[in-house]
Amino acid sequence: VPTGVQSVPSVLELALHNADDYPIEWKIDTEPLKKHMGVFTLEPTRAVLEPEQDCLVRAAFMPNEPIEYKATLSVYISPPRTDSAEAATTTARMPLPPDESKLYLPIRLKGQGAVPKLTFDRKEVNLPVVPCGIRSRCLFYIINEGYESLEVQYRLPTDKIRIALLINFPEGQQVGITKPRIPVEIIFHSEKPISFSADIEFLDTETGSYTLPLSGTADNCVLSTHQYLQQNESFYALEGDPVMLAEKDDTAGGEVGAAPSVKTGSVSHQSLAGYGGQELSQTDFLVRWMNGNVLKNPLEHFPMDLISSGGRHLYEMIEFLSGKQVPQKGGVGAGSRADNMQSLRGDRSAKQKNKELVRIQGMCQQYEQLLTFLKQHGALLSSIRPEHFLSHEQFLRYMQSETPGITRRQVEKMFFVKSMEAWFTGILQTIKIFLLFRVTPKSFKALPGMTEIADQPISGPVSEDGMPDPGEPRKICSELQAAWDAKGLADSNVYSAAECILLRWLNFHFWRTNRERYPDRKITGFDHDLDDSIVLSVVIESHIPTCQAVLSMTYPCTLFDHYEENASRIVAALQEIGLAFPIQAADITAAQPKDMLLFVLFLFQNLPHYVPKTVIVFSTLLGVSMTKNIELTNPSRKAITYNIQLQGSSDFSIKEESVKIESRQTITFPVEFQSRFTRRVEGQIVFTSRREGNLHAAAMVFKLRSHCIGKQPRKTIPVSAVLYEIGTVVVDVDNPFDEDASFTVNIREESVCDAEKKPIKSKRCESVATFHIGSQLGPQTVKAKAKGTGKLTVSFLPFDAPAHFVALLGFFDPNAGEFYYELFGESSPPLPLEIYRLQVKAEELGTKELILPHRNVQMDRARMWIEQRGAGSKQSLPDTIVYNVKLSSQYYLAPKQVTVVNAMAKNTAADAKADSKQKPTAELVASRQPTVSTHNVAKLSLEFRPKEPGVYPCQVILTSDVDIRMYQIEGTGTAPNTHCALTFHTQARKHVTQEIPILNPTDREWTIKPTFSQQGTEFDGPREFIAKKRQGNGQASMSYYPLTFKPEWVRDTQAQLVLQNTGTNETYEYELHGIADEPLAEEHVVIKCEAREKTSHTFRVRNYATTAATFEVESDLVHISGPSSVQVGGRATENYVLVFQPLQAGQVTGCIMFRDCTTGHFTWYTVELMTLPPKPQQTLTLTCVVRQAVAVDIQLVNPLDDVVVFEVALNGDGLLGEAEFFLAPNETATYELVFSPLLPSRSKGTAVFFNDVVGEFWYDLELIAEPAQPEALPPMECELGRTLQTTVKIDNPTGQEVVLKHRSTNKVNFRVLQQRIPLPPLESTTVAIDYSPSSLGLTEEAQITFEHPTVGQWVYKLQGVGLPPIEARQVTIVAQVNRPVSSTITFKNPFLEAIHASAVLESRSDRGVFLLLNKKAKVQIMPLATTQIPFSFCPPSMTRHSAELIVSVAKPNLTWTYQIQGVAEAPADSTVHTFTVQAREVLETYHSLNLIGLDTSPADQDSDTLSCQLEVQPQHQALVSKCFDISLGTDPNATSSRTDKAQVSLKVNFAPLRPFVAMCKLVITRSSGGRWRFDLKLEATEPEVDDTISIQSPLNKPASVAFRLSNHTSVYSEFQAFFDAESAYEFTVQPTSGVLEPAGTGGTTFVVTYKPTEYGKPVQGKLIIQTDDVYWSYAVRGTHPKYSAPVAEKAKVATRLSKDMQQELAKATSQRRKKNFIQKNMAGSSVMGS
């Protein structure tokens, strides 16, 4: 399309040649070219050609619109010569005129109008991926197509902050005919990671815009910039901390201040070589890594296997790494295989091609979902398109559908590069976001092995309770602190935070383990810093110090063989420690950053697992085997097999060297430890797994350590002895080991303890050995064969008692092991030194003195034995010994302490020495008195007071820090007389017995005789009783005298009992007190019966008296019957029958009492009456259809003379009836029971009638609710393509809102419009159903069900028949004159199969008024699908235009007609016509408007040809319709006749009752065609106030004024009352809203209140009362009461002076006038001078 002076026509030349022998005149008829004036131009159109002459005809094409132009021109030439005579004449050389009656040939002209445009040498620009802060460049060309001269402008993306783009034009921006293309350079750089896709717009000088897609990526990750790092290796350097990439100086072509850039070049790099016959070396390591780490199924051919499987490997990889599934949309599976895609053939039908294209589009949608998923998680994939993942044939088919005319060669040229780049980049970005970015500062700090000391466990030793020992806090060295410092991690422009962490990890472990073995180095990259394998070996050694493969590395590496040798050792080290990683030596020697990054990441994830997780401490006793279980859990879905290796001490052992853990299973692996020595032993256990598929469990290492917590004796050797006496035991020594041993024996840890072996202190045992081995001191040995036995004698001599002694008997062999026995000695008290006997009467006091010598002969004898063994020396006794006295019987008293003094201590030393050497005899008889000096003894005074007769033995034990002594005392006593009181408490007729104990310590039986003193016989017992003598072991015997209390009735009695011991003449007196309460119930009787039925029960009535008695019957139960009394003989029992007849069901508890009329004594029973409901009166069967009702009448009779009210209980769904039913006296009435179910069911129910007097009766109900039959709606007939609507009414019978769900058996033809159908409580709802036929003449049926679980189902049957289209549809389109407007008609295929429809537009209007815009004559429409039929309307004048759009279908032969009414509208008038009036005033006026383009004849009247309509906004529709009216009319006050035909007069009536402002549109329509729109503004201003209200009120006191107001019409109307915003806050009005009474009534009362809070000027307010139609306003004025000063008749206080007082005051004032001292002094001076 021409765009001004810059456009030139397209010219073609046609060559004409005259091959005849005569001149020919030719003519081209150009009349058809007038249809499109100036489009086609031919020169010349007529000429004469001489024989063999040529002529050129120039055809120029200059289109006006971007459409296709066609024209056929007729060519006429001279007719042929007919006779030779004519040819011979001279006129033969003159050409004959063209014969226009005969067409020679037609010339067809065809031209496509096109806009001059700009194109590009590529479809998109993909900038190279660069590190952050590095410039990325690309060069492309703009190609001129149609512009003579144009300066190209451009528009960059609006987000210039994040997308920093720079565009250069090296050769300028001017294109034209002489310069068909210009180069353009795009430069991009970003300081932060970003991946973007944007559009660059190139503009011409007018409105043309040409978009070029652009994508670029800047990232600080090796997985994104690996190509840059590899291809530009010599142009950059890595340095600093954090590591920064700095490009080397390259000033050629650079600009000052620009971002650094290197040979990223002026052209975009291809990411890879591709696979269309190109090498795949870049992907080899990645494929091996994927197969070895993440894939279940191996990937053999990259990327062919990915394409053929629809990206299955990538999906599998994403799910494995992230645990998430990519959303599936479209089919990606077997149907997307390449072999299916390669089956596209050119000879396929169009249907097959469409199916194939749909399948390709589905795959593109799926890959679009994949890319979106990855981008949402942080992948940078701006240059990747979904179609890049397709196969070759699919990509070709896709590009041919998207870009018609593209060749196969063009597609192949771009496919292989794009495909390889898409798959390779997608995989690397997946690894980056889901694997690499797991490396975070938090995980780095928690990484095992990050300690200053190598091989330090992660956690402390595990104690016995399974909890780790926290140990000492770990100190952090400066190097570790620097490695953990998160500052600067994200500042690198080439490495991400995760990669910086990996570098810090390498640097730290190299520093920790190197220890100057290799020169220090800083690792800044993943290629050259690692290619000699030194760093890798040190890192492996840092985690696994026992790895042998990395201990002999070659350094320095001067030859390539050295590099290979070291790399081979790294591979061997991985095999040694059980790490399966698909790396080869060549991968390390020729390191590529991305490959080595993956390898280092693998080591980072796996080597820390070889750091011992913890130290498993086997804390056990010596000689005790201990097994600890290591719990292993497999959380994966596949089984894992671990190989186990045990290292270190042989005391640790395992039973299996491998273990298999099934999926989701937890097992325990036992490690056994045999404790043989007390010293520490250590070991280590390593778990490594075999890779199975893509599952590889991490290695686990645990340190093992022993800890002997004690020497558990293998057995305990008991030995006992009396204090100061020797006990011996022979020990059998069992050799527990499997080898002969010579054990060294010793006794250790000897101590005094209690019975629980807890140590205690004993001064008596200090420096004295208790246990002794053999016959002499010193080491002893015992030899024993393997598993054999030896003998050993151990002696035990205690020096404390009673006490326990414990010691360890140890056996040690340095080869076999060591074990211990426990010696447990128990000492008993010493033998008595003396035995004393005495006898005292009970309750009397006796004394005895015990003689205490200074020396203890028993202890002296024991110490002598120890001295003879050489185990101790002679120890002298202190001169004074203080003994604590302890008595074993409470009947003896003695001093708490006694002191024994050595009176001979002052003798000569010789005598003392002789005395010390005196040896005691070997044995000492306990009853024998020792010979002692009277000067060397002490005495102990002992008192004895027996409580009762008997023998009282006692042991007197004297204890001191020196020794223990014991003396035996045997005392005998007799008992005195006893006296006590006994109380008995029971119920009448219930006996209670108390046994009185009698202790007989003598050796003869006692005869006891009782004597009772009482009034009555309530207390009783045996008249003679024998107390047994003492037992054979000497212990006293206890006998019991039974005393019984037997009350016959309620009483409180006193008595006395005396027991006489005839053997000892002793008496025992007892005061007796007996209390008897009322008797208990004889029995608890449970009676089961039915209501209204008689049930009897027999009670046993017993007479406890000796004479016959009459018993009255009493009960608190109702509805019982029986005799009122019963006669019972003395001491006899009678049966009493009681009848129960309860009237209602339930459970009642009461009692029945039988009372003696004479004595008042009674017996009674508790009764529990369990009444079952009576049998039903009748079984009624109620059958009803759901949502209908059926009633049954139940006849009730009142037999009483009083009103009876029955309580009615209805149990069952759908039962309705009154809750209470009243019956008059002796009335018979009918109770109506209604059954109205909602849901189909078959159930049971009951109707229960209950009255307290009449009783209870009920009816059994069989409730049958049948489903309602479907309701058949009247058949419907509807034209095809149209919709017919019918409605159904649904009632909600419940009291709550329910929402119905609906389902239809035919959703194609019958559709419920409402998705949600709410039913208000107890109301009806109308539901609309649409019918759309899909067949012609066939009956279409459907069954629509509306359901809810509470209210049931409504089922409707519908039928419909489709009719052929008859009535034309009306379509209206509006356009301004000479301004085309396009619109569309939506046509829906009503059939269930595809159709081919053709559209034809017919119009009687001028050509070009209506145009059909669709390009295809026929359109295929899928079943039930819609299509848009576009058309345009461009009215040339303000007249009516119409057209018909006919849509035809061949099969079946149907035609749909759309009647299009074109309305021509005048240009919009920008003038706003305002009508303003005060509310409640009337504005009547005439207003004139100019109708542009109106052309009416004088005979026509405005009212005949014009009509007007007012369009009002919805919120003002009701208000404007009541108060504003506008119509066409002639102004009667016009002074002159109308001369302007285009002017109309409007009559306006505006009578608003309330203020408002509304914007409206006035539409004036002419019947013959044409429409004008005008903007109106209706403004009703506020009216004058209706009244003024004055209120006067004092401060802080409210005052009110009331008035009434009625509506202006005779209807009620809602109102609002309020004060406007400028009113004082002291005013209030009540009510603020409500209903205003109609006119003619008293009106609604309004109360205005004024409550001032401060003084000041009067306040004002404006009260507004308004309804939807009317507005009232009142001026309210608030004032204060006028203040009047109080006037007093007489002053209460005198404020004026009397006249006398005033005179006196004046006199005193004059006398006190101040003197003028200056004047006086001056006068005195003058006198003196004279």
Side-chain angles (χ1 to χ4, degrees), residues 1448-1655:
S1448 302
V1449 177
K1451 294 182 180 180
N1453 188 11
L1454 297 175
T1455 299
W1456 286 266
T1457 303
Y1458 296 86
Q1459 188 70 39
I1460 303 175
Q1461 297 294 333
V1463 178
E1465 193 172 83
D1469 186 2
S1470 59
T1471 303
V1472 178
H1473 303 271
T1474 304
F1475 298 95
T1476 304
V1477 68
Q1478 196 175 45
R1480 300 210 302 273
E1481 298 290 337
V1482 179
L1483 173 65
E1484 292 184 356
T1485 184
Y1486 286 87
H1487 190 73
S1488 298
L1489 294 176
N1490 290 325
L1491 305 184
I1492 301 174
L1494 177 64
D1495 186 11
T1496 56
S1497 60
D1500 294 336
Q1501 297 296 327
D1502 293 345
S1503 59
D1504 295 336
T1505 59
L1506 299 176
S1507 62
C1508 65
Q1509 181 181 0
L1510 191 66
E1511 295 179 356
V1512 189
Q1513 296 175 355
Q1515 63 268 28
H1516 298 135
Q1517 181 71 45
L1519 186 61
V1520 172
S1521 62
K1522 294 178 181 179
C1523 65
F1524 185 77
D1525 180 58
I1526 187 169
S1527 60
L1528 294 171
T1530 305
D1531 186 1
N1533 298 325
T1535 56
S1536 59
S1537 61
R1538 189 183 66 187
T1539 58
D1540 189 357
K1541 297 180 179 180
Q1543 190 177 69
V1544 296
S1545 178
L1546 297 173
K1547 182 181 180 181
V1548 178
N1549 188 342
F1550 188 20
L1553 296 177
R1554 57 168 296 176
F1556 70 92
V1557 176
M1559 299 299 298
C1560 311
K1561 286 189 177 295
L1562 177 65
V1563 181
I1564 299 178
T1565 306
R1566 188 172 61 178
S1567 58
S1568 60
R1571 188 161 66 183
W1572 294 263
R1573 286 181 178 271
F1574 301 94
D1575 291 332
L1576 302 186
K1577 179 180 179 181
L1578 307 181
E1579 182 176 2
T1581 60
E1582 291 189 3
E1584 299 292 336
V1585 294
D1586 295 271
D1587 199 354
T1588 299
I1589 301 174
S1590 295
I1591 307 176
Q1592 187 178 87
S1593 175
L1595 194 67
N1596 292 322
K1597 291 186 179 180
S1600 300
V1601 172
F1603 66 93
R1604 290 180 176 270
L1605 181 66
S1606 302
N1607 197 9
H1608 75 295
T1609 60
S1610 60
V1611 296
Y1612 289 93
S1613 182
E1614 294 183 357
F1615 71 87
Q1616 288 184 341
F1618 56 92
F1619 281 91
D1620 64 3
E1622 298 179 357
S1623 300
Y1625 65 89
E1626 290 90 351
F1627 295 111
T1628 57
V1629 62
Q1630 290 292 336
T1632 58
S1633 61
V1635 177
L1636 198 64
E1637 294 186 5
T1641 63
T1644 302
T1645 301
F1646 292 89
V1647 179
V1648 181
T1649 302
Y1650 169 57
K1651 183 180 180 181
T1653 58
E1654 59 184 1
Y1655 289 108

Side-chain angles (χ1 to χ4, degrees), residues 645-656:
Q645 182 180 4
L646 189 62
Q647 304 167 354
S649 174
S650 60
D651 289 349
F652 301 97
S653 62
I654 58 177
K655 296 181 180 180
E656 298 178 355

Side-chain angles (χ1 to χ4, degrees), residues 805-819:
F805 301 84
V806 67
L808 289 180
L809 185 60
F811 305 87
F812 177 77
D813 184 281
N815 297 322
E818 58 181 308
F819 65 94

Side-chain angles (χ1 to χ4, degrees), residues 471 542 948 1144 1217 1726:
S542 178
E948 57 188 21
Q1144 60 182 358
S1726 61

Side-chain angles (χ1 to χ4, degrees), residues 784-1070:
K785 298 288 186 181
K787 300 297 183 181
T789 304
K791 298 291 184 179
L792 181 67
T793 301
V794 178
S795 300
F796 172 53
L797 178 57
F799 280 83
D800 197 359
H804 299 83
F805 301 84
V806 67
L808 289 180
L809 185 60
F811 305 87
F812 177 77
D813 184 281
N815 297 322
E818 58 181 308
F819 65 94
Y820 291 84
Y821 288 164
E822 182 184 57
L823 297 176
F824 186 71
E826 183 177 2
S827 64
S828 56
L831 298 174
L833 290 174
E834 294 286 345
I835 298 178
Y836 299 92
R837 291 183 176 88
L838 69 159
Q839 185 174 357
V840 180
K841 190 174 179 65
E843 299 294 340
E844 295 183 2
L845 181 64
T847 61
K848 182 70 176 179
E849 288 186 350
L850 305 183
I851 298 175
L852 306 177
H854 181 257
R855 300 195 66 87
N856 187 342
V857 296
Q858 294 174 344
M859 184 183 68
D860 291 344
R861 185 171 59 248
R863 287 189 177 273
M864 184 66 71
W865 182 84
I866 293 177
E867 291 175 6
Q868 290 175 354
R869 288 177 51 86
S873 60
K874 179 66 176 180
Q875 292 184 356
S876 60
L877 297 178
D879 294 338
T880 302
I881 304 177
V882 179
Y883 288 93
N884 294 322
V885 181
K886 182 178 181 183
L887 304 178
S888 63
S889 175
Q890 61 181 344
Y891 303 103
Y892 294 86
L893 294 176
K896 298 294 183 180
Q897 289 184 343
V898 62
T899 302
V900 178
V901 180
N902 185 6
M904 303 299 293
K906 297 182 179 181
N907 294 341
T908 60
D911 295 337
K913 182 176 182 182
D915 183 67
S916 65
K917 291 184 178 180
Q918 183 180 358
K919 297 182 179 180
T921 58
E923 295 182 356
L924 180 66
V925 180
S927 62
R928 180 178 170 184
Q929 294 276 345
T931 302
V932 296
S933 172
T934 59
H935 299 284
N936 200 27
V937 296
K939 293 181 181 180
L940 176 64
S941 178
L942 187 67
E943 295 180 355
F944 172 47
R945 187 188 297 273
K947 293 282 290 185
E948 57 188 21
V951 178
Y952 295 83
C954 179
Q955 291 179 347
V956 180
I957 302 174
L958 306 179
T959 59
S960 69
D961 294 340
V962 178
D963 67 328
I964 298 176
R965 304 180 186 186
M966 185 179 74
Y967 297 91
Q968 182 70 36
I969 309 296
E970 292 184 359
T972 304
T974 60
N977 296 339
T978 60
H979 185 85
C980 65
L982 298 176
T983 300
F984 296 80
H985 196 167
T986 183
Q987 288 81 27
R989 306 191 190 109
K990 183 178 180 182
H991 299 175
V992 60
T993 300
Q994 172 65 52
E995 293 181 339
I996 299 175
I998 300 174
L999 183 65
N1000 183 1
T1002 65
D1003 54 358
R1004 64 181 181 274
E1005 294 182 345
W1006 289 345
T1007 300
I1008 308 298
K1009 292 184 178 181
T1011 301
F1012 290 94
S1013 300
Q1014 60 179 337
Q1015 294 180 358
T1017 59
E1018 284 81 8
F1019 293 98
D1020 194 10
R1023 297 307 174 199
E1024 188 172 309
F1025 179 74
I1026 302 298
K1028 297 179 181 181
K1029 63 181 179 181
R1030 68 182 179 186
Q1031 302 176 11
N1033 59 0
Q1035 293 185 358
S1037 296
M1038 184 71 71
S1039 300
Y1040 298 94
Y1041 177 80
L1043 175 61
T1044 304
F1045 177 53
K1046 301 184 294 183
E1048 292 296 327
W1049 191 240
V1050 179
R1051 66 183 54 213
D1052 188 338
T1053 182
Q1054 302 285 339
Q1056 186 179 22
L1057 171 63
V1058 177
L1059 297 179
Q1060 181 69 34
N1061 188 342
T1062 59
T1064 61
N1065 290 326
E1066 298 175 352
T1067 59
Y1068 311 101
E1069 297 178 359
Y1070 299 93

